[in-house]
Amino acid sequence: MGTTLISSCRLPWKLSLQTTPSLHIVCRSPVDDRHSRVKANGYWTETGLVSEEEDGFAGNGGLTRRLALVSAACLVSSTGALGFSGEGVAVVKQGSLAGRIPGLSESDEQGWRTYRRPDDKSGGHGVGWSPIIPYAFAVPEEWDEVPVSIADLGGTEIDLRFASPKEGRLFVIVAPVRRFADDLGENVTIELIGTPEKVISAFGPEVIGENVEGKVMSMSVAEHSGRTYYQFELEPPHCLITATAAGNRLYLFNVTANGLQWKRHYTDLKRIADSFRVV
């Protein structure tokens, strides 16, 4: 949960209200301009407020979240300007944005970024479930996170989506293992759930939305830092699935693309799939 402190009209800029003869604040609707401008003692500052995604629920002319925040800033500043003693202080708290907390690193020298699931990202499957153990993977810099809706056709257990218009898309399913068996304990491994053949037969349809019989082109087993990962390549549809388990959850990482993307960018897609780790 992000917290922005407004003190003497900080949002997040800073103005001194000790002398206010030339204080002049203009709050323009972000429908017309993504920035608000503040003038104090003859100087202009310009700042962006919140992302367009967070503001997309309001139509043209509506009171958007950005406008509400700017209005709060104006109210605090006007309080000081009208001669009230002390600094006006307001705290604006943004609610938890499930799936939208940044987790991407800066690009490396090869133009790849690493995503790590933030520790404080919301998510879970009912009372009593342990927190989701973070996972990580690498993507080229043109890949971006896509919001996950509660009405997502992929189900409520889709924890994350990423996509690139050029290369393809991916999603992560994090499912409680008790949905599949009651006697697996609280520190499950993928081997306890089953063999690669059993796992892809049982969970492949959940990933691609249809039976996987005759579609599995290859399967392999890899181990990283003592954890086992099952890796599958399916066709059609073109997808690479990585499966593992940690705590009391099953992780399914799916990288998919259309035929042209698959042909042109298979190397990158395979590298993304191979990079998945529960950390």
Side-chain angles (χ1 to χ4, degrees):
M1 176 175 291
T3 300
T4 306
L5 175 65
I6 307 171
S7 178
S8 298
C9 195
R10 294 191 184 101
L11 190 62
W13 63 86
K14 180 178 181 181
L15 293 176
S16 174
L17 294 182
Q18 295 176 356
T19 59
T20 59
S22 60
L23 178 65
H24 178 58
I25 298 176
V26 177
C27 299
R28 295 188 296 172
S29 168
V31 172
D32 300 319
D33 191 343
R34 287 178 54 85
H35 296 74
S36 291
R37 305 178 67 203
V38 179
K39 184 177 181 182
N41 300 324
Y43 293 95
W44 286 99
T45 59
E46 186 168 357
T47 180
L49 295 178
V50 295
S51 70
E52 185 175 350
E53 285 180 343
E54 295 177 21
D55 211 28
F57 64 87
N60 288 339
L63 180 61
T64 66
R65 186 177 304 173
R66 275 182 286 173
L67 182 55
L69 292 177
V70 176
S71 300
C74 295
L75 178 61
V76 175
S77 297
S78 62
T79 301
L82 291 172
F84 289 91
S85 60
E87 285 190 85
V89 177
V91 176
V92 178
K93 293 185 178 181
Q94 294 181 344
S96 180
L97 302 175
R100 304 302 300 154
I101 300 176
L104 275 171
S105 70
E106 296 295 327
S107 299
D108 63 17
E109 63 278 2
Q110 295 179 332
W112 283 66
R113 300 185 293 176
T114 298
Y115 175 87
R116 183 188 186 279
R117 188 185 197 277
D119 293 333
D120 54 354
K121 175 183 173 181
S122 62
H125 303 287
V127 176
W129 288 107
S130 63
I132 294 176
I133 298 174
Y135 52 80
F137 56 87
V139 290
E141 57 189 356
E142 66 268 16
W143 285 66
D144 287 307
E145 185 178 352
V146 178
V148 177
S149 168
I150 58 173
D152 198 306
L153 295 178
T156 59
E157 289 163 355
I158 291 184
D159 188 63
L160 180 76
R161 288 188 183 274
F162 261 70
S164 161
K166 182 176 74 172
E167 295 192 337
R169 58 195 186 278
L170 67 82
F171 61 83
V172 185
I173 293 176
V174 183
V177 296
R178 288 183 184 174
R179 185 160 68 82
F180 317 111
D182 294 327
D183 57 351
L184 294 177
E186 297 298 316
N187 191 19
V188 179
T189 65
I190 194 69
E191 296 96 329
L192 286 175
I193 295 176
T195 63
E197 292 82 2
K198 179 179 178 181
V199 168
I200 193 61
S201 296
F203 306 115
E206 187 161 341
V207 175
I208 69 172
E210 57 186 277
N211 196 297
V212 299
E213 186 176 355
K215 300 179 184 295
V216 181
M217 308 302 294
S218 67
M219 63 179 69
S220 61
V221 178
E223 183 177 313
H224 303 284
S225 301
R227 192 180 307 280
T228 300
Y229 297 80
Y230 295 164
Q231 298 174 315
F232 310 94
E233 182 173 329
L234 279 65
E235 203 179 307
H238 299 289
C239 66
L240 298 161
I241 300 173
T242 302
T244 192
N248 55 17
R249 300 179 191 273
L250 171 70
Y251 295 74
L252 297 169
F253 182 68
N254 179 52
V255 182
T256 187
N258 62 38
L260 185 59
Q261 292 170 332
W262 188 263
K263 182 178 180 180
R264 291 181 176 178
H265 303 289
Y266 176 83
T267 301
D268 279 357
L269 297 171
K270 186 68 166 64
R271 178 174 172 181
I272 294 170
D274 291 344
S275 71
F276 182 75
R277 302 283 188 275
V278 174
V279 292

